[in-house]
Amino acid sequence: MSAWVWIAVAVVGGLGAIARFLLDAIVAGRVGRALPSGTFVINASGSFALGLLTGLALTGDALIIAGTATIGAFTTFSTWMFETQRLVEDGEIAGALLNVLVSLLVGFGAAALARTIGAHL
């Protein structure tokens, strides 16, 4: 990888992380934090975006920058698992199971739909 790709990864990765923080704050401000709605919206939209990139058949540096750096920094597996664990610790077993199942179903569905859309663009 060239130095320019490394710089692009750093810059857009940082922007992706900032976008995640801002979107989480917006969603939490509207719906509250009882359930991890912000993380759900972030990961679902990230799954859609990554599916779209896959459908568009990006490769090489473009895929590294757009997929790995941007979407990788935007989405968050660790926060999703942490928030699920917090639900379990708070005795919200049904909420934790719902968070896992709905997140997986919506994430896979969003990625598949976007991949199909991207393949036809």
Side-chain angles (χ1 to χ4, degrees), residues 1 5-6 8-9 12-13 46-73 115:
M1 270 192 325
V5 173
W6 280 103
V9 165
V12 299
S47 294
F48 184 88
L50 195 55
L52 188 61
L53 294 176
T54 303
L56 292 171
L58 285 186
T59 59
D61 291 344
L63 183 59
I64 290 171
I65 294 168
T68 304
T70 309
I71 306 303
R115 184 175 183 184

Side-chain angles (χ1 to χ4, degrees), residues 47-52 54-55 105-120:
S47 294
F48 184 88
L50 195 55
L52 188 61
T54 303
L105 289 172
V106 169
F108 281 124
L113 174 64
R115 184 175 183 184
T116 301
I117 292 169
H120 288 89

Side-chain angles (χ1 to χ4, degrees), residues 77-118:
F77 179 80
S78 59
T79 301
W80 176 51
M81 286 294 98
F82 174 76
E83 291 172 339
T84 302
Q85 176 61 32
R86 182 183 49 85
L87 289 169
V88 170
E89 289 173 354
D90 291 345
E92 299 289 337
I93 305 301
L97 289 172
L98 191 63
N99 186 41
V100 170
L101 292 175
V102 171
S103 292
L104 288 172
L105 289 172
V106 169
F108 281 124
L113 174 64
R115 184 175 183 184
T116 301
I117 292 169

